[in-house]
Amino acid sequence: MVAERFLPWWDGIDLRTGAFVESVEAEGVRLTDASLIPADLVVTGVGVRPASGWLVDSGLELSGGGVAVDSDGRSSDPRVFAVGDIAARHSPRLGERVHSGHWDEALNGAAAVARTIVGQPLGVDRVPYFWSDQFGRKVQYVGQHRPGDRVVFREHDDPAKWGVAWVDHAGHLTGHLNVGFPRSMVRARAALESGAVVDPEAITRLDAGL
């Protein structure tokens, strides 16, 4: 539903969803349906999978393929810290672990670990955040919504600017996607940090408050 709003950006591009690669050959890419996509250059984006296998017998608590840590990067062994893609940070606000794989976690997580090591832990439950530039548009996401959350589309007078809010059953904002309107991301982050309750019917305007 949300992804459909991105599809017009790909006008003129052969975008295939639900397709799987069987092999990369001299002529191009062979899909599992036996079709061949001719290509001179193939670029792959396969995500990140932490190499944590060597830690299985270490005694450290692991979670989702990463090292389970608290908000300051401290593992189940207080002498060991983890940061970046390998860290599965516990979020008391979310009641679950954050494993975003974005450089924002590595940047802020490293600062939190450094302060903890020198005896000045922040104890801050950071709100997950990432961004991407696509076809001249800035896309920003903050929070961590769940599959059962209510989806609220937020519109603007300028059709190039829009957003999506996710709200749980208690009315708490859990995630926010913003396209071309950074101000709404700032407001959404503040609402997430404070645990604000929002009225889904009152936030359908992107330039309205949260």
Side-chain angles (χ1 to χ4, degrees), residues 44-50 85 101:
T44 62
V46 295
V48 175
R49 181 177 298 169
D85 294 335

Side-chain angles (χ1 to χ4, degrees), residues 51-63 65-67 76-77 79-80:
S52 58
W54 62 284
L55 294 170
V56 170
D57 297 322
S58 67
L60 297 177
E61 179 186 354
L62 303 179
S63 176
V67 177
S76 56
D77 183 333
R79 301 166 300 174
V80 178

Side-chain angles (χ1 to χ4, degrees), residues 4-210:
E4 291 176 353
R5 297 287 293 264
F6 294 91
L7 292 180
W9 299 359
W10 296 76
D11 184 40
I13 298 174
D14 183 6
L15 177 65
R16 305 191 187 191
T17 60
F20 298 90
V21 175
E22 175 69 28
S23 60
V24 177
E25 304 173 3
E27 297 81 11
V29 178
R30 180 78 62 182
L31 302 183
T32 52
D33 63 4
S35 62
L36 177 69
I37 302 176
D40 297 318
L41 176 68
V42 177
V43 179
T44 62
V46 295
V48 175
R49 181 177 298 169
S52 58
W54 62 284
L55 294 170
V56 170
D57 297 322
S58 67
L60 297 177
E61 179 186 354
L62 303 179
S63 176
V67 177
V69 298
D70 62 15
S71 59
D72 291 307
R74 187 186 294 105
S75 74
S76 56
D77 183 333
R79 301 166 300 174
V80 178
F81 298 84
V83 67
D85 294 335
I86 194 67
R89 174 174 63 86
H90 177 67
S91 169
R93 181 190 304 105
L94 297 171
E96 57 188 73
R97 296 200 175 275
V98 174
H99 200 163
S100 70
H102 191 263
W103 64 261
D104 186 70
E105 276 291 319
L107 175 67
N108 292 293
V113 166
R115 289 182 63 96
T116 302
I117 290 174
V118 298
Q120 299 176 2
L122 291 172
V124 175
D125 185 4
R126 301 185 305 280
V127 177
Y129 166 75
F130 68 84
W131 61 269
S132 175
D133 288 324
Q134 298 184 26
F135 301 97
R137 301 171 176 86
K138 182 168 291 293
V139 181
Q140 299 169 294
Y141 178 87
V142 63
Q144 184 164 299
H145 69 272
R146 301 173 179 85
D149 293 341
R150 178 174 177 178
V151 179
V152 181
F153 283 96
R154 310 187 69 206
E155 308 297 345
H156 191 277
D157 292 336
D158 182 349
K161 301 176 181 180
W162 54 274
V164 182
W166 284 267
V167 182
D168 68 14
H169 68 279
H172 296 101
L173 185 72
T174 59
H176 192 277
L177 172 75
N178 164 76
V179 176
F181 198 70
R183 191 190 315 165
S184 68
M185 188 279 297
V186 175
R187 293 171 175 170
R189 183 191 289 272
L192 286 160
E193 289 176 340
S194 66
V197 173
V198 300
D199 178 1
E201 307 302 329
I203 61 171
T204 55
R205 290 284 304 175
L206 186 61
D207 48 3
L210 283 171

